[in-house]
């Protein structure tokens, strides 16, 4: 997130407004939108992989069984990556306990999630007696799609935005740290999301 102030605020375009809420409340239950977007991304990814695996002649239930193993492993890997890479800033000096386990406070590293989730899926494929490379081909475009959907969670958290801009798609932020009110920013979370969608389409086209 930006930290350096600027002399004058840029024009307030209001093209992409700040989110109206960070969590969804249903009766006494509260669901953070960031977590919901990650969960939605996982569901969509599994659906895509199931369909592609079935098109290859496989049983789609095999993908569901793999997801039961790979998704929890990916969550653990994502948290480990975050704790390791941010250890000095947030968890050193005895602060890691119990903060390192407070996943509901945020903090997930996608590289760690993909790595550990993929390793768990490969092991599960071997146990199930199916070729992990073919499963990987089926799941390959699903991963960036899940990432694109998950990036919407950054919008609701008002994070992962870039420097100031007055472009037509500039992003409004409620309390821009170090910047005058009314400053708008590059929606870098959106840039990455669009890149991930383009990557998924490229993978599908290359596979054909």
């Amino acid at each position: 997130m930006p930290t350096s102030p600027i002399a004058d605020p840029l024009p307030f375009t209001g093209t992409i407004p700040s989110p109206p809420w960070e969590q969804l409340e249903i009766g006494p239950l509260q669901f953070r939108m960031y977590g919901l977007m990650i969960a939605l991304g996982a569901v969509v990814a599994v659906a895509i992989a199931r369909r592609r695996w079935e098109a290859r002649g496989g049983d789609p239930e095999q993908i569901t069984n793999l997801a039961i193993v790979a998704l929890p492993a990916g969550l653990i890997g994502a948290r480990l990556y975050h704790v390791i890479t941010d250890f000095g800033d947030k968890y050193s000096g005895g602060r890691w306990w119990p903060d390192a386990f407070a996943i509901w406070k945020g903090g997930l590293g996608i590289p760690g999630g993909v790595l550990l989730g993929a390793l768990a899926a490969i092991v599960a494929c071997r146990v199930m007696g199916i070729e992990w490379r073919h499963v990987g081909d089926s799941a390959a475009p699903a991963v960036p799609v899940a990432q694109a959907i998950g990036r919407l969670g950054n919008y609701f958290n008002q994070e992962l935005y870039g420097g100031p801009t007055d472009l037509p798609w500039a992003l409004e932020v409620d309390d821009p740290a170090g910047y005058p009110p009314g400053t708008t920013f590059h929606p870098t979370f959106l840039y990455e999301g669009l890149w991930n969608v383009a990557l998924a389409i490229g993978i599908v086209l290359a596979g054909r």
Side-chain angles (χ1 to χ4, degrees):
M1 294 176 62
T3 56
S4 301
I6 58 176
D8 298 311
L10 294 174
F12 191 77
T13 63
T15 303
I16 302 179
S18 60
W21 61 78
E22 292 184 11
Q23 60 187 21
L24 178 65
E25 297 184 5
I26 303 178
L29 302 178
Q30 296 181 347
F31 302 93
R32 290 192 62 84
M33 294 301 298
Y34 183 84
L36 288 177
M37 292 299 101
I38 292 178
L40 177 61
V43 170
V44 172
V46 171
I48 293 173
R50 280 173 56 96
R51 183 171 180 177
R52 287 173 57 84
W53 183 242
E54 186 176 18
R56 298 176 69 103
D59 182 357
E61 289 303 314
Q62 291 176 317
I63 298 297
T64 301
N65 293 334
L66 288 172
I68 293 174
V69 175
L71 291 179
L75 184 61
I76 294 172
R79 185 61 179 179
L80 283 174
Y81 184 91
H82 165 73
V83 171
I84 291 172
T85 55
D86 286 17
F87 190 82
D89 293 333
K90 299 180 180 179
Y91 305 104
S92 60
R95 293 177 294 169
W96 70 274
W97 178 267
D99 291 350
F101 299 93
I103 195 170
W104 56 89
K105 294 182 180 180
L108 298 173
I110 296 301
V114 173
L115 177 61
L116 195 57
L119 290 175
I122 289 173
V123 172
C125 283
R126 292 186 178 276
V127 172
M128 295 169 61
I130 56 180
E131 178 54 60
W132 67 267
R133 294 175 181 84
H134 296 165
V135 173
D137 287 340
S138 299
V143 175
V145 169
Q147 174 74 350
I149 296 174
R151 278 294 170 235
L152 294 176
N154 298 122
Y155 166 70
F156 287 101
N157 275 4
Q158 298 195 58
E159 59 187 6
L160 200 62
Y161 54 86
T165 183
D166 57 358
L167 289 170
W169 53 84
L171 174 70
E172 300 175 21
V173 177
D174 288 336
D175 297 307
Y179 289 90
T183 305
T184 52
F185 302 89
H186 282 285
T188 49
F189 69 88
L190 178 60
Y191 299 159
E192 182 179 343
L194 294 174
W195 158 249
N196 282 314
V197 171
L199 176 61
I201 293 173
I203 292 173
V204 172
L205 295 177
R208 291 179 179 176

